[in-house]
Amino acid sequence: MAGCCAVLGAFLFEYDTPRIVLIRSRKVGLMNRTVQLLILAYVIGWVFVWEKGYQETDSVVSSVTVKAKGVTMTNTSKLGFRIWDVADYVIPAQEENSVFIMTNMVITMNQTQGFCPEIPGKTTMCETDANCTAGSAGTHSSGVATGRCVSFNGTLKTCEVAAWCPVEDDTEVPKPAFLKAAENFTLLVKNNIWYPKFNFSKRNILPNITTAYLKTCIYDAKTDPFCPIFRLGKIVENAGHSFQDIATEGGIMGIQIKWNCNLDRAASFCLPRYSFRRLDTRDTAHNVSPGYNFRFAKYYSDPNGAEHRTLIKAYGIRFDIIVFGKAGKFDIIPTMINIGSGLALLGVATVLCDVIVLYCMKKRYYYREKKYKYVEDYEQGLGNQMDQ
């Protein structure tokens, strides 16, 4: 109990104030200056020079439009001679911050609703009607089973389905890609950015770019780093992939536009930086369901009014435009905050040296006597003398 009262009395009725002790020690002095220099290097080099701690920052607000161009032709037994332009291979015509270019496809022509044999598989092959369940429709089925086992060809029988007939057979994907010439198609990317905090806006078609230049330039990291027109094959190659491989099975590519702007400098120094990467990177050790594809159909009616459709399983490359960055401009508030933080950090040198001097050095007890001095209350001492 007495110990607790003594601690409480010391807490309430004692006051400590720093005492300056000059220690003439080369070791301690050198350590103190070294720590101070490291802190100054951090504050000046990292906080102010590298991180620009004297600036207020803002994140980019962006809008993107993409326009594809390119024409090619094919000549196959199924489709014959055919010209392919933007309206044929860009699906859909407009997307938000992305564009899909069809490069390969499995096409099933002249489908009508009716009854036909299913594609042979583990669950569709049969010998008799007993092997087929009427009304069943699995997730991978082309239609609803009728319960009948019918001939698929001269040697195989499969369960009959009510479906769009003939059903699609996508077991063989064209190789090389059906539209392999798509590597020479181009994308014009228009990007407008805005930093609302500074009311600063700009676009990636820079003021020095003329109409004549825009009609002839193709992006190249060395010769034309600010041209906003990109060749598809070059985008894929810059990401470290083969265009023909990704065109065959489909994939997703990212066109990254980085805007890091120092608004303490002229606006002409605020420039876009382009980079490319594949967003659906394949794992060669786990190559299940690779690529990117989807289905769509084109419907029409014959002269008798019967409905038909052409089903297309489209493989292709989706290009996602990813815009990011930040802008900075001088502001007194972050400057003063970081200066104050730097000055506070200088106190670390004193704390570190105190710990070493008072607890680690051989003469630590001697230094403690010089560092700490206990003083009795003058008024209390004078009162005791008068009582005597």
Side-chain angles (χ1 to χ4, degrees):
M1 184 66 179
C4 293
C5 292
V7 172
L8 181 60
F11 174 76
L12 293 175
F13 305 121
E14 290 182 357
Y15 165 71
D16 60 90
T17 183
R19 184 183 185 187
I20 298 175
V21 178
L22 178 61
I23 300 176
R24 298 184 183 277
S25 169
R26 292 180 181 179
K27 185 185 297 183
V28 178
L30 184 60
M31 181 182 63
N32 181 51
R33 298 308 176 200
T34 301
V35 174
Q36 288 178 338
L37 285 174
L38 289 174
I39 292 172
L40 284 174
Y42 165 76
V43 173
I44 295 173
W46 176 261
V47 175
F48 281 98
V49 177
W50 184 259
E51 290 293 324
K52 295 181 175 60
Y54 56 87
Q55 290 183 334
E56 181 72 29
T57 59
D58 193 14
S59 298
V60 68
V61 177
S62 168
S63 68
V64 174
T65 59
V66 186
K67 182 186 292 185
K69 284 191 176 182
V71 179
T72 188
M73 72 170 195
T74 58
N75 193 356
T76 63
S77 57
K78 182 175 288 188
L79 295 177
F81 180 81
R82 186 180 178 93
I83 297 293
W84 298 82
D85 63 12
V86 174
D88 297 312
Y89 58 73
V90 176
I91 309 163
Q94 286 292 323
E95 287 189 84
E96 184 178 356
N97 297 338
S98 65
V99 61
F100 175 81
I101 306 293
M102 183 175 69
T103 55
N104 206 5
M105 67 177 181
V106 174
I107 186 168
T108 309
M109 303 181 66
N110 298 323
Q111 284 187 319
T112 59
Q113 292 204 13
F115 302 98
C116 51
E118 181 65 281
I119 296 296
K122 291 182 179 180
T123 60
T124 60
M125 294 178 64
C126 61
E127 294 182 358
T128 64
D129 292 350
N131 301 129
C132 303
T133 304
S136 64
T139 55
H140 300 288
S141 175
S142 300
V144 179
T146 62
R148 294 191 294 268
C149 183
V150 296
S151 174
F152 177 80
N153 55 32
T155 58
L156 293 176
K157 285 185 175 183
T158 61
C159 294
E160 184 184 61
V161 290
W164 284 93
C165 300
V167 296
E168 177 191 72
D169 183 3
D170 62 350
T171 53
E172 294 293 332
V173 179
K175 292 184 179 181
F178 188 73
L179 296 181
K180 59 183 179 180
E183 65 179 328
N184 294 315
F185 296 169
T186 60
L187 295 178
L188 169 60
V189 178
K190 298 180 182 180
N191 176 215
N192 294 271
I193 61 147
W194 178 45
Y195 291 104
K197 190 176 290 186
F198 308 119
N199 196 26
F200 177 85
S201 59
K202 199 167 184 178
R203 65 177 188 154
N204 67 326
I205 301 179
L206 303 177
N208 62 319
I209 293 180
T210 63
T211 302
Y213 173 77
L214 203 60
K215 288 182 178 179
T216 58
C217 77
I218 297 293
Y219 172 85
D220 185 276
K222 295 181 178 179
T223 60
D224 293 279
F226 302 115
C227 177
I229 299 177
F230 305 89
R231 180 174 165 269
L232 302 193
K234 198 70 174 178
I235 293 174
V236 177
E237 289 172 11
N238 286 340
H241 296 272
S242 164
F243 181 85
Q244 292 304 326
D245 289 344
I246 194 173
T248 299
E249 62 185 22
I252 304 173
M253 297 297 303
I255 301 176
Q256 301 174 122
I257 308 178
K258 183 179 181 180
W259 292 88
N260 278 352
C261 300
N262 183 358
L263 299 184
D264 290 328
R265 306 177 70 188
S268 58
F269 290 100
C270 180
L271 299 170
R273 305 292 178 184
Y274 301 99
S275 59
F276 314 93
R277 60 165 298 184
R278 185 171 181 177
L279 301 180
D280 66 325
T281 302
R282 290 179 55 185
D283 182 0
T284 55
H286 185 68
N287 193 25
V288 177
S289 187
Y292 178 63
N293 63 77
F294 59 89
R295 292 175 176 84
F296 68 96
K298 297 182 178 180
Y299 296 86
Y300 59 94
S301 298
D302 64 18
N304 297 322
E307 186 181 30
H308 295 254
R309 77 174 188 183
T310 297
L311 178 66
I312 298 173
K313 183 178 182 180
Y315 298 80
I317 308 173
R318 194 183 79 196
F319 295 90
D320 292 346
I321 318 301
I322 304 168
V323 183
F324 59 98
K326 67 177 182 178
K329 193 173 185 179
F330 175 78
D331 190 275
I332 191 63
I333 294 177
T335 302
M336 296 306 297
I337 289 174
N338 284 309
I339 289 175
S341 300
L343 293 174
L345 278 176
L346 288 174
V348 173
T350 302
V351 173
L352 180 62
C353 290
D354 279 353
V355 170
I356 292 175
V357 167
L358 300 177
Y359 298 98
C360 301
M361 296 185 70
K362 293 181 179 179
K363 296 182 179 181
R364 55 186 178 274
Y365 298 109
Y366 172 75
Y367 291 134
R368 286 185 198 176
E369 290 179 4
K370 300 298 182 181
K371 173 72 173 176
Y372 302 113
K373 183 176 182 179
Y374 297 93
V375 180
E376 296 295 335
D377 191 337
Y378 174 76
E379 294 179 354
Q380 182 179 352
L382 184 59
N384 290 338
Q385 291 178 6
M386 291 178 66
D387 290 341
Q388 294 176 0

